[in-house]
Amino acid sequence: MKQRVISAALAAAFLAAPVAALAQDTDLAKRVEQLAAELEKVKAELAAQRAQAAAAPAPRAEATSVPAQPAAAAPASAPMVAAASDTVFSGYGEVNYNHPVRNASGAQTDLRRAVIGIQHRFDEKTKVVAEFEWEHAIASASDRGESAIEQMYVEREFNNGLRGKAGLFLMPVGLLNQNHEPTAYYGVERNFVETAIIPTTWREAGVGLSGEFGNGFTWDTGLTTGFDLTKWDAASDEGRESPLGAIHQEGQLAKSRDLQLHGALNWRGYPGLLVGGSVFTGKAGHATTDFAANDARVTLAELHTRYTPGAWDLSALWAYGRISNTEALNATFVGKPTPVPSSFAGWYLQAAYKLWQGNEYALSPFARFESFDTARTYASQPAGLGVPTTPYERVATVGANLMVAQGVVLKADYQKFRQDKSRDRVNLGVGFSY
Amino acid sequence: MRHLKPRPAVLFLTILLSGALTACGGGGDSGSTPATSTAAAVSASFSPSAVLGEKIYNDVSLSASGRQSCATCHSPDNAHGPTNDFAVQLGGPNGDVPGFRASPSLRYMQQTPAFHFEADGTPVGGFNRDGRARTLQEQAERPFLAAHEMANVSKADVVARLQRASYAAQFRATFGDNIFDNVDQAFSRAQFALQQFENEDPRFHPFDSKYDLFLAGKAKLSDAELRGLALFNDPTKGNCAACHPSARGAGGSAPLFTDFSYDNLGVPRNMRIAATQDAAYFDLGLCGPDRTDLADRTDLCGAFKVPTLRNVATRKVFFHNGAFTNLTDVVRFYVTRDTNPERWYPVNADGTVDKFNDLPPAMRGNVNTAEVPYNRRPGMAPALNEAEIADLVQFLGTLTDGYQH
């Protein structure tokens, strides 16, 4: 029983620790991995001593935000763990309601996503991580839902502290992409900069390597699939919603003639502070026969920071993307509404404050200001044939997250748009993550 | 009538069928009049059926008049379309029987799906202007037997001529020694051979227009051509791309400038067609008279297949009835049909315009008046002005095969 409590406490305090809390320690990533390995040992002992069937309640985490690796945070007493201590199930999901204030008929409720995660540890250093996702409740030929494998990769830790991974994995970009569970962010909907400019949830297939420099620095690099510009549909508005979202490949029969390099650097050398950035670059034409933009290169760069002193949770992010050599391709699209932009960018500032915390509840109001432009510039076109660039859309969001227990969140917010005021809306949502 | 882009399944079929095209498309020497050596090199890659198909295609002895072959109305010298400006071609035993519809180009037909109705009821696909032939092989039957074309009295008549042809032995070697013993089978093999020839000969689908090179980033359109493309694509201006897609298909397939759908444009009656002397005669496309299975679908009366616009600038006559002989006038008709109908239709004694006069009055409501650029009324400005029409025609010229750098 004592060991059960220890294991549960370890799980809750470390593996289920929120990102904000994780940021408090300089060698955090390393320690988490060590603790994960220790926890596996404890679980093995527990499995051998299963004299008691009653589950001990897991202690509550101290923070409201999400575990960095929810898959590793399953309660030690969960039946699935009992059945296979090396295999951990996790999950998250959310249901959202959007109510445009100027167009009540546009009110909509959607089961945004339901995700099942399975992580299996082969040994202390080797694991496989997989996430299975359904979006919009029903996926079939006549429905608009999607079914997707969001991640599926194997990871191996080497003796020198390096970690290598191979498969389909999330890109180490921004604050949201790798921690996108509804309990991990403020507001009902994910922020615009990290959906329209950074195509969260952005995953690619390939190989990656991670490590640390000491002094609080961690790094990631890798060689993966990239974007497929031959998919661009100038007649659809998809490319205006998210240029990269319109041409990402998601590991599905991904064209791989041109690969993408990425690098990310993060620093957690000061308690409560995370500062980081990343760069991604790769060509996107794949030497396609008779394609007018085989030299097009997609580059995305971003900087991010998050600071969590006391009850505050402050974050900021800037992202900038380019698609080069699109003049000839865009000439073929003249007269159509959505040519390929040559640059797109955005930034946001966000502040949240844990106003009240009870035994099982925590209320955190927040405010976010975003500015983003999915078509900041276009490559030049002959006079009269170009499409005007769009202005930066500016969105202010105010609302609150109410955490219930540790893994459930109720959300409400109001979003005001500067350019397209018809999009002003009230949002409500419920989400969970375990 | 709504138009749909081909469904994914159709596009898939398209891509599947274009497998043969990719191997031969874009040949630089597949212009309108390939050199003999080039033609020989092309023919060398044909299957035995296609070799026969080419001979049959060019064989005038298979007609009652002895003067007409497929190539007569579908000449390789003019994008496999007619070389004269007759509204309808002449055929029959003496070569003087007029037809009923303008001969289309046979280029870029290989990817046409069989006729079917989409889930929302939109008719799509098929060969002939009314889609009644399901395949190129099936399409090849009618010209042999129609009284106004090659005018053979029966399939046996055609097979007898085949047996006398110089390539009869080759026909037997390919399809079996006893093939001529069975008229239906022998005739069917001739149709098959024609289909294979059309599929395998890259001259039927060279994809070597200026626009193809432009799509590939290997050529630049002039400013006027580019302006024309913009008008072609713009849903608020020409809106041509709504039925004649200019963008690559799924998987990067070259655009065919048709979505294989049908439309009812209310094209003016062409009194140059002999049959129109009978005031009671109307060519109603999908619902007859040539096509009979949709005769009760009066809502489809007057709808004809949306043709590819590739090589449209080589056409001497336009639309199913050849009512127009000038491409600029065709574009003018599109944009002023509803703003200035008096330009295109007879004016009645009482001063009213007999609009859509090639349809029975009860069926004139079937004409497409909803989509841009038709969605206008007298007094409104046309969707395109004269300068824009000129630009659009310039662009259409880039769709002609055999562009030389």
Side-chain angles (χ1 to χ4, degrees), chain A residues 90-159:
Chain A
S90 62
Y92 65 90
E94 54 188 323
V95 178
N96 294 352
Y97 167 81
N98 310 111
H99 182 97
V101 294
R102 289 180 175 79
N103 172 25
S105 66
Q108 187 179 70
T109 305
D110 184 37
L111 192 153
R112 279 280 185 275
R113 51 185 55 86
V115 180
I116 294 171
I118 302 174
Q119 177 174 307
H120 179 78
R121 191 169 279 283
F122 298 98
D123 63 24
E124 290 180 10
K125 297 181 175 179
T126 317
K127 64 178 180 182
V128 60
V129 175
E131 259 189 32
F132 305 86
E133 176 179 51
W134 292 266
E135 291 185 355
H136 312 302
I138 304 172
S140 79
S142 57
D143 290 295
R144 292 164 60 188
E146 284 185 16
S147 167
I149 310 295
E150 201 160 68
Q151 306 179 63
M152 194 181 75
Y153 66 91
V154 293
E155 184 177 287
R156 172 76 176 177
E157 188 177 337
F158 304 109
N159 291 332

Side-chain angles (χ1 to χ4, degrees), chain A residues 182-255:
Chain A
T183 48
Y185 58 88
Y186 296 99
V188 175
E189 303 293 352
R190 297 169 177 179
N191 71 71
F192 285 102
V193 179
E194 292 189 88
T195 48
I197 307 301
I198 300 170
T200 303
T201 309
W202 178 19
R203 62 269 192 185
E204 299 285 358
V207 293
L209 196 64
S210 304
E212 41 190 285
F213 293 135
N215 300 323
F217 283 101
T218 58
W219 56 266
D220 305 270
T221 187
L223 182 67
T224 65
T225 53
F227 296 98
D228 177 13
L229 191 56
T230 67
K231 289 202 304 188
W232 190 274
D233 181 357
S236 125
D237 60 1
E238 197 183 356
R240 195 174 293 277
E241 287 173 15
S242 172
L244 296 185
I247 56 173
H248 63 178
Q249 303 200 75
E250 299 178 299
Q252 182 182 70
L253 304 172
K255 291 186 178 179

Side-chain angles (χ1 to χ4, degrees), chain B residues 337-350:
Chain B
R337 185 196 74 182
D338 300 283
T339 59
N340 304 87
E342 71 283 353
R343 285 196 197 176
W344 311 108
Y345 301 101
V347 178
N348 298 320
D350 62 357

Side-chain angles (χ1 to χ4, degrees), chain B residues 295-319:
Chain B
D296 58 345
R297 286 293 303 273
T298 54
D299 59 310
L300 300 178
C301 289
F304 290 86
K305 187 164 75 170
V306 171
T308 176
L309 290 187
R310 287 178 171 272
N311 298 301
V312 69
T314 69
R315 297 286 298 166
K316 306 278 196 275
V317 297
F318 301 86
F319 294 124

Side-chain angles (χ1 to χ4, degrees), chain B residues 114-151:
Chain B
F115 181 85
H116 64 279
F117 286 98
E118 299 273 302
D120 70 345
T122 304
V124 169
F127 296 87
N128 296 322
R129 292 192 181 271
D130 54 21
R132 68 188 187 280
R134 287 171 300 172
T135 60
L136 276 172
Q137 178 176 352
E138 195 175 302
Q139 182 273 326
E141 175 182 332
R142 195 208 66 251
F144 282 120
L145 305 176
H148 60 276
E149 297 191 52
M150 294 165 81

Side-chain angles (χ1 to χ4, degrees), chain A residues 290 292 331-332 334-336 382 385, chain B residues 214-216 218 230 233-234 247-248:
Chain A
D290 289 344
T332 70
V334 290
K336 296 186 178 178
L385 296 181
Chain B
F214 165 71
L215 273 187
K218 297 173 182 171
N233 287 337
D234 190 334
R248 290 186 190 279

